[in-house]
Amino acid sequence: MNFFTKTFFLLLLSIFSFSDLYGQVTFTKGSFIINMGIVPQTKSNGLVPYGMVYDLIINYKIPVVWSINPGKIKDGTDFTYNAVSYKGGPFIIPKEYITPTITARITYWTFTRGVQGVYSTSNFSAPVYDTLTSFPKIMIDKGSGNNKIIEDYYQDAGIPTSAYTLGVPADLTTCFDLWSNPHDDPTWATHNYLYDFVTTNKGNIWAECHEVSMMESCKEALVPFRQLNFLSSNGLQCWNGNNKCQANSEEHANSPDLTIVTHNYSSEPMMQFMGVLTNATQNGSEEWYIPLSSGNWNAT
């Protein structure tokens, strides 16, 4: 299963999620638990559940509970029910919303698409991170010609093409929640629209491959010298041998030292994946990111 696909959908759900709802909640007998912690993670048990959640929320107006244990360690248990340890941020469909129509949709996603889950045969308690009631409005970059990379994420999860829009940064409006950049070579001229999208409109960005360091170095030539350095204080080093970054000349080795990788913030929405991310950092033109020697990661 593609690690980036998994974290892409975790980002989508986290945009409209807030941790102020943490707390133990009792769910009624007959609620449905989507098991997100099965190992090995596959397309069916790790990605298609996001298609099921999208279907229930968008097409049937059913709220879906996202359960995350705020005190767990990496790959730790979110809650236990009927001797099964549920991990990876399981989803719960409360009994109160399960009608014959919803039962049929659950059957479709489990028996036809391979989602793993069970109906509870008794009441149970689980921590609630948030109750999901909507999906973000997303634009996928088409200017690079690499939009199929992100479109394939949706296809793998079973989410329809109607869930996103193709465009370029100049097409962004306040109606969009997230801009998605696959592999690309952004410049200030083409991507300056992202500055206001993030700082004024409070939009979100998904970027991958060397798009990240390229975008961090995009800077306008005249005062006020605005820069798209949303992750770092003044930009990132470029990947080795392909120095196209506009604002610096530093490079880093392409391959990271995977022996020093640690996983932190286990209860954050973006960290609800099972196993390590190292296999996802061994391909592509840029496999890891490092701030310029004169800077740091932004504290925020």
Side-chain angles (χ1 to χ4, degrees):
M1 183 190 73
N2 188 314
F3 165 81
F4 288 108
T5 314
K6 175 83 172 184
T7 54
F8 177 79
F9 289 116
L10 289 170
L11 171 62
L12 296 192
L13 296 187
S14 69
I15 288 175
F16 288 154
S17 300
F18 304 93
S19 59
D20 59 340
L21 296 180
Y22 264 138
Q24 289 290 129
V25 173
T26 298
F27 292 89
T28 305
K29 170 185 175 181
S31 297
F32 189 81
I33 306 169
I34 302 175
N35 192 343
M36 298 299 293
I38 298 173
V39 177
Q41 296 263 276
T42 65
K43 184 185 298 185
S44 294
N45 67 42
L47 296 183
V48 178
Y50 297 101
M52 178 178 179
V53 170
Y54 178 91
D55 180 40
L56 293 175
I57 291 174
I58 300 302
N59 297 324
Y60 295 92
K61 313 305 179 187
I62 299 299
V64 177
V65 172
W66 197 0
S67 178
I68 302 175
N69 177 0
K72 70 177 180 180
I73 61 174
K74 180 70 177 73
D75 294 347
T77 299
D78 291 298
F79 66 90
T80 300
Y81 167 71
N82 201 21
V84 175
S85 295
Y86 288 93
K87 307 176 179 182
F91 299 110
I92 302 169
I93 307 167
K95 164 63 177 176
E96 291 74 15
Y97 299 100
I98 299 180
T99 64
T101 298
I102 299 306
T103 299
R105 294 312 295 166
I106 292 173
T107 299
Y108 165 77
W109 286 104
T110 53
F111 284 90
T112 304
R113 301 302 303 272
V115 173
Q116 299 296 303
V118 297
Y119 288 97
S120 67
T121 55
S122 61
N123 294 351
F124 67 95
S125 179
V128 171
Y129 177 76
D130 203 357
T131 299
L132 305 171
T133 58
S134 61
F135 257 65
K137 186 174 177 61
I138 301 159
M139 181 179 289
I140 300 175
D141 169 58
K142 68 176 182 180
S144 66
N146 292 310
N147 45 283
K148 191 176 185 299
I149 294 174
I150 308 297
E151 290 187 273
D152 283 350
Y153 292 178
Y154 284 87
Q155 181 177 344
D156 287 345
I159 299 177
T161 58
S162 57
Y164 57 84
T165 300
L166 298 180
V168 296
D171 298 328
L172 285 169
T173 68
T174 55
C175 294
F176 289 94
D177 302 297
L178 185 138
W179 165 260
S180 177
N181 260 120
H183 180 93
D184 191 14
D185 294 322
T187 65
W188 179 259
T190 59
H191 285 61
N192 69 84
Y193 305 92
L194 295 178
Y195 187 87
D196 286 339
F197 177 66
V198 172
T199 61
T200 301
N201 300 342
K202 307 305 179 184
N204 300 268
I205 293 176
W206 165 272
E208 58 186 76
C209 204
H210 72 245
E211 164 80 28
V212 179
S213 59
M214 289 285 291
M215 184 168 61
E216 285 284 303
S217 297
C218 286
K219 185 177 182 180
E220 63 182 334
L222 303 174
V223 176
F225 305 116
R226 295 175 301 172
Q227 187 173 336
L228 303 182
N229 56 315
F230 302 122
L231 299 178
S232 62
S233 59
N234 59 348
L236 301 180
Q237 297 179 28
C238 285
W239 67 106
N240 188 35
N242 293 276
N243 197 339
K244 297 180 181 179
C245 297
Q246 301 167 348
N248 68 83
S249 58
E250 285 189 271
E251 295 180 348
H252 65 75
N254 190 42
S255 299
D257 182 355
L258 300 178
T259 64
I260 60 173
V261 172
T262 58
H263 296 77
N264 299 316
Y265 309 106
S266 300
S267 62
E268 289 295 314
M270 281 291 291
M271 295 301 291
Q272 303 313 303
F273 58 89
M274 302 300 296
V276 298
L277 56 80
T278 50
N279 287 340
T281 66
Q282 300 178 61
N283 196 13
S285 61
E286 185 163 29
E287 302 174 3
W288 61 328
Y289 308 111
I290 308 175
L292 292 173
S293 59
S294 60
N296 294 286
W297 296 110
N298 284 333
T300 53

